[in-house]
Amino acid sequence: MAEHGNYSGGEGRFERLLLEVKGRINKRQYDTWFGRATLEQWDEGQLVLGLPNRFYQEWFQSKFTELVRESAQTVAAAPVHVRFEIAGLGDAGSPPPAPQASAELPSTGAPAVEPQPAPSPAPASPRQADPAYPAPFQGSGESDLPLRLNELYSFDNYIIGPANSVAHASARAVGQNPGRAYNPLFIHGSVGLGKTHLLHAVCHEFMTRFPGDRVCFLSCEEFTNEFVRSLQRNDVDSFRARFRNVHLLVIDDIHFLKGKERTQEEFFHTFNQLYQSNRQIVLSSDAAPNEIPTLEDRLVSRFGWGLVTQLEQPEMETRMAIVRRKAELMHIDVPNDVVEFIATHFRNNIRELEGALLSTRAYADVLGEPITLRLARAALKQSLQPVGIGITIDKISQLVCERFQVKIADLRSKRRGRSISTPRQMIMFLARKLTSLSLDEIGDYFGGRDHSTVLYGVRKVEERYRTDPTLAATLERMADRLGGRLTPEDTGRTPQNSYNPK
Ligand code: ADP
Ligand code: MG
């Protein structure tokens, strides 16, 4: 059990919280994850748990938020808001690389980047739950808060491929030469394709080059909230002063403006003011300007004044390079076949690629085993796309025939002999596992063979899949290439555990 923080307001409750959590998950999970959680703060319905590193933090955020909230509410008998922070407990896990040298805040001396896990407890500094949206300003004005960005979202860590090269190059140009080439720069694309990452990278680049200049980075939701708050406080002037005096204004997810007329109006004037003073504006959105519903025409047209560029879904090589880079950053040792496997199965969204990597690592942690293809397959079983979409027996045959250098026509004929029957049985097996064809239908494909012949072939390969690791690897690779998956169940046995490496 980890030591608990110095905080003295809620130890008793914290013990009860841990007991509550313990009752809701299994012991291994509890020991792995909660053994290192500490209490940072618990008052006024606000619970902050400290965790050893970013990996834990992300894991808790994605897997345990509900569990902790519910448990805390049970203990407190009142609503509780939960946050997870990095507590700087030292050698645990994998500290990300040291922050890059970057601008310090003259007013507070706080670092301009998000605080890193440090070997000794870090000095108290303002923190927020979501590292993508830290406090929005860098600058020297008295009312400003420090701008803290995710230092991992840099151009260096951004993998370039055909799907994002234009967006990347223009973002870079804007960070280096603000207010000139592309103003505004408008980057759009669907979720998880790297918009926020690019926006952070622009800020890093800009801050390195123009350390004295004022940068404002925030989500459109925050912009809206700030505006509404200023209306409530009757203090729109200071809101305006804050946003209209920056050198670089970066607003993430600007589509959030839809349906918000007054905020649109306000943003319109902010935009004009900055634009006229040659201040750089960078925006991201989930859709092109003219596809954002209810966005005023005058904004739509202004968003098109500079450069509008789209992030597309990255292709296989880029996805593999991203998985490799993320693994490096997380200090995870991932063999090539696992990189390929993850990149094959998570195509649409880069955040999912990362999630897959994290899940695989967590699974390996829990089992205390190295990451292998087998293990990744078991770890990701639940999240893999449904089997068999778009997979046909023709595609399977093609692949198998290529691999064994035989002709499809020979396989489908009555010919016998080992050189023919092994690939034939492999096709039967793969067709059975990866398509919805019945035994009879597979038999028909092979020149009207009986369903019991097909069943025999499938069983034969199942047995070899169980006992022959080389063949198992070949089959799994083929399944990957087809866009499907094999699981331990495909050995024909019903395993006791979902993970059964032997
Ligand atoms: P969006 O804002 O478009 O929803 P994010 O910027 O949050 O997407 O990206 C999701 C995750 O994918 C982030 O962790 C980001 O670092 C990563 N990512 C996206 N594109 C790339 C890329 N080209 N190279 C490396 N990482 C990327
Ligand atoms: Mg985003």
Side-chain angles (χ1 to χ4, degrees):
M1 170 64 53
E3 287 172 21
H4 301 150
N6 294 336
Y7 180 72
S8 59
E11 271 97 336
R13 274 190 303 175
F14 185 51
E15 304 302 345
R16 277 185 285 143
L17 168 69
L18 291 177
L19 274 177
E20 192 64 41
V21 167
K22 215 174 201 165
R24 294 173 189 230
I25 55 179
N26 71 38
K27 182 169 179 337
R28 197 160 61 177
Q29 264 186 323
Y30 177 84
D31 291 343
T32 304
W33 299 105
F34 285 84
R36 305 171 86 172
T38 57
L39 177 66
E40 297 289 309
Q41 181 196 330
W42 192 350
D43 48 24
E44 309 224 324
Q46 172 93 349
L47 168 64
V48 182
L49 289 192
L51 300 167
N53 56 33
R54 192 191 297 280
F55 170 67
Y56 272 75
Q57 187 189 32
E58 286 177 1
W59 191 259
F60 268 72
Q61 273 162 0
S62 69
K63 308 282 177 199
F64 294 136
T65 305
E66 276 311 303
L67 170 74
V68 174
R69 191 183 10 246
E70 282 171 14
S71 306
Q73 286 177 177
T74 307
V75 171
V80 177
H81 179 75
V82 175
R83 253 176 25 193
F84 303 112
E85 289 186 353
I86 299 166
L89 287 185
D91 62 350
S94 51
Q100 301 153 355
S102 65
E104 296 262 316
L105 268 184
S107 52
T108 64
V113 293
E114 199 199 357
Q116 289 305 299
S120 55
S125 56
R127 287 171 176 161
Q128 295 212 338
D130 184 350
Y133 297 116
F137 282 90
Q138 170 189 275
S140 50
E142 276 182 3
S143 60
D144 293 347
L145 297 160
L147 172 87
R148 285 173 297 120
L149 299 164
N150 185 339
E151 86 289 352
L152 296 178
Y153 289 178
S154 63
F155 284 125
D156 281 350
N157 287 336
Y158 198 77
I159 305 290
I160 306 163
N164 60 29
S165 58
V166 176
H168 169 268
S170 37
R172 194 141 212 174
V174 155
Q176 295 173 349
N177 256 320
R180 303 233 182 99
Y182 314 118
N183 202 15
L185 174 62
F186 190 101
I187 299 174
H188 67 101
S190 54
V191 66
L193 293 187
K195 301 183 293 294
T196 300
H197 185 138
L198 272 183
L199 263 46
H200 282 227
V202 171
C203 294
H204 289 307
E205 183 87 31
F206 181 93
M207 283 157 56
T208 310
R209 287 179 182 254
F210 310 97
D213 282 359
R214 291 164 47 80
V215 177
C216 172
F217 171 93
L218 76 175
S219 69
C220 186
E221 186 175 358
E222 285 174 319
F223 181 85
T224 308
N225 292 342
E226 291 280 312
F227 177 57
V228 170
R229 226 172 287 145
S230 78
L231 288 175
Q232 286 163 351
R233 285 197 309 249
N234 233 336
D235 189 18
V236 180
D237 285 348
S238 53
F239 173 86
R240 289 186 179 144
R242 285 171 71 199
F243 288 98
R244 295 184 190 182
N245 282 320
V246 296
H247 296 89
L248 170 65
L249 175 65
V250 181
I251 301 195
D252 203 1
D253 295 328
I254 197 76
H255 54 263
F256 192 80
L257 280 182
K258 65 180 166 229
K260 305 192 177 60
E261 286 161 33
R262 282 199 71 181
T263 314
Q264 286 192 25
E265 163 90 21
E266 183 60 29
F267 183 70
F268 173 75
H269 295 295
T270 307
F271 183 100
N272 289 343
Q273 171 100 25
L274 293 173
Y275 187 83
Q276 278 155 18
S277 337
N278 278 338
R279 303 287 168 82
Q280 179 69 46
I281 301 158
V282 183
L283 306 169
S284 81
S285 161
D286 67 357
N290 59 1
E291 286 163 359
I292 302 175
T294 76
L295 187 67
E296 288 178 24
D297 287 345
R298 53 187 186 166
L299 281 176
V300 173
S301 81
R302 270 162 183 75
F303 290 171
W305 282 356
L307 180 75
V308 175
T309 173
Q310 184 174 5
L311 287 172
E312 313 262 2
Q313 281 171 6
E315 53 7 297
M316 183 67 180
E317 285 76 12
T318 308
R319 293 200 303 275
M320 286 176 62
I322 292 174
V323 175
R324 280 205 192 91
R325 175 63 55 85
K326 294 286 175 190
E328 244 170 67
L329 292 171
M330 299 174 191
H331 302 262
I332 311 178
D333 221 359
V334 187
N336 280 337
D337 54 359
V338 174
V339 170
E340 191 178 328
F341 174 73
I342 292 178
T344 303
H345 286 281
F346 298 84
R347 295 157 187 260
N348 305 328
N349 177 327
I350 297 163
R351 200 169 292 133
E352 285 174 3
L353 280 180
E354 273 186 276
L357 198 57
L358 279 170
S359 304
T360 306
R361 169 173 156 162
Y363 205 76
D365 271 3
V366 169
L367 294 175
E369 289 180 20
I371 293 177
T372 59
L373 186 58
R374 269 273 154 114
L375 182 134
R377 212 177 275 287
L380 301 174
K381 210 169 74 179
Q382 303 302 331
S383 36
L384 293 177
Q385 273 130 29
V387 168
I389 288 182
I391 302 179
T392 62
I393 192 164
D394 274 329
K395 285 189 191 159
I396 296 172
S397 301
Q398 240 168 19
L399 197 66
V400 172
C401 288
E402 232 170 69
R403 169 76 175 68
F404 287 89
Q405 297 288 304
V406 289
K407 295 203 186 89
I408 296 189
D410 287 345
L411 290 189
R412 298 180 72 170
S413 73
K414 298 274 176 218
R415 272 187 59 187
R416 286 164 181 271
R418 206 175 149 79
S419 66
I420 290 288
S421 61
T422 300
R424 187 186 283 141
Q425 287 173 346
M426 281 172 78
I427 298 172
M428 291 172 173
F429 169 85
L430 289 169
R432 193 67 187 134
K433 304 300 177 186
L434 303 178
T435 74
S436 53
L437 291 179
S438 67
L439 293 170
D440 281 326
E441 285 166 328
I442 298 172
D444 287 345
Y445 180 85
F446 288 105
R449 282 177 163 77
D450 191 66
H451 82 268
S452 62
T453 310
V454 177
L455 186 59
Y456 174 81
V458 173
R459 290 264 156 83
K460 209 73 202 180
V461 179
E462 278 178 350
E463 186 190 322
R464 288 187 61 196
Y465 184 36
R466 239 177 1 243
T467 53
D468 177 350
T470 317
L471 184 94
T474 306
L475 287 168
E476 289 172 358
R477 248 191 140 72
M478 287 189 187
D480 285 349
R481 285 194 48 193
L482 290 160
R485 67 178 157 104
L486 295 172
T487 65
E489 283 78 11
D490 290 326
T491 59
R493 276 200 186 141
T494 318
Q496 298 300 317
N497 301 317
S498 59
Y499 180 70
N500 188 3
K502 300 210 179 81

